[in-house]
Amino acid sequence: MNDHLSLLLTPEGRALLDEVRGTAPADELAVATRLRRAHPAELVSAALAQARLRQRAAAKFGEADADRMFFTPNGVEQSTRASVAGYRAQRLKALGVTSVADLCCGIGGDAIALARAGIRVLAVDRDPVTAATARANADALGLAGLIEVREADVQEVDTAGHDAVFVDPARRGGRGRVFDPEAYSPPLSWAVRAASTARVAALKIAPGIPHEAVPAAAEAEWISDAGDVKEAVLWFGTGAPGAVRATLLPGPRTLTGRGLPDPAARPVGRYLYEPDGAVIRAHLVAEVAEELAGGLVDPTIAYITADTLRATPWATAYEITDQLPFNVKKLKALLRERAVGTLTVKKRGSAVEPEELRRKALPKPQGRNSATVFLTRVAGAPTMLLGHPARP
């Protein structure tokens, strides 16, 4: 791959990348056959592979940047979404950070966001291909003056002289995702020690980390983008040890925990609120329930119910029209009666697969109306709640 990157960085390679931009998968064979008449086969293959990666990366980086950047398959998969990296960079800037040691920098997504915030970056990765890709990206986006890329083992890098340390350890192994923080590469315990070497530190972790694994000295923040939970971050040096936050992008909007007890369960009211995933991961459902004057449908389920509709960025509201015990035949009859042709199935606390229920309850979608069914528990009993998005 490094040889391929070197080829793509030549004038011929760059020109070829421009030529194959936007090539559809169905056209690749014909394009490759044509281009190989004038260019080396290896270069043509590398350019087409890079074009595919750029198309995939556009969702994370935006088309304008993705079309100029260079990617590896793992880099596209594991890099931080630009909106999330940009938010984190702005928060570091607000903390007075002017230089960051970006450890496990990958292809440079976070380093790019930091540099665009005016922060000087030492970007470190031990993989030579990844480091070379990060260096190419800094140059491609005109940020080489602010980003120094170093190929090295992050555990051997001296971070002295930097205001902040950012660590994004690898959370994938040979068998897929790694859930034990001590199985990260490098382990979370090492990253916490590295954090102590700087005035401010941010450690990127999996959003499913158990709260008991969060160090007492850290502020924990869960971040979602457009409703999808993207990551969690352990912050040091923010002056808020032990704090818990949920941040929603775009915005940003941040909800800070106040240590409220779990909300009480209550009968299902007219409205059901589905909290954002970051709110749930941060264990801040109680804060949202208090804002909505609501309670839980069940002590173990993170659905909030209330009698009144209130606007909130922290949850999506649905108006509930029907509540019935779990029974596919009854649901099927109700959907037919309501002329429902489009059914959205959501679940929490149910073992039933949404697609399986949709297939059984709506085998021949023909109605003009749409509905949402929640498979959940109410007061411990398997329940189906039928409704639709609430309108102010």
Side-chain angles (χ1 to χ4, degrees), residues 1 50 53-54 56-58 60-61 69-82 104-110 125 127 129-131 133-134 137 168 172 204:
M1 177 66 194
Q50 190 61 225
L53 292 174
R54 286 177 167 182
R56 286 172 52 196
K60 281 189 174 183
F61 291 89
M69 293 173 65
F70 296 87
F71 299 96
T72 64
N74 285 342
V76 172
E77 181 72 24
Q78 299 176 19
S79 57
T80 304
R81 183 175 290 264
C104 309
C105 69
I107 62 167
D110 281 281
D125 203 285
D127 180 70
V129 174
T130 303
T133 305
N137 286 333
D168 182 5
R172 287 183 178 272
K204 181 177 171 181

Side-chain angles (χ1 to χ4, degrees), residues 189-265:
S189 56
W190 177 86
V192 172
R193 289 195 298 273
S196 67
T197 66
R199 178 174 63 82
V200 177
L203 313 181
K204 181 177 171 181
I205 54 174
I209 186 172
H211 279 230
E212 56 268 24
V214 174
E219 171 196 314
E221 180 178 31
W222 279 261
I223 303 171
S224 71
D225 187 11
D228 292 330
V229 182
K230 293 303 178 184
E231 64 181 60
V233 183
L234 300 182
W235 292 90
F236 298 83
T238 64
V244 176
R245 296 158 55 107
T247 295
L248 278 53
L249 302 176
R253 296 183 176 93
T254 296
L255 179 67
T256 302
R258 292 183 283 117
L260 298 181
D262 291 339

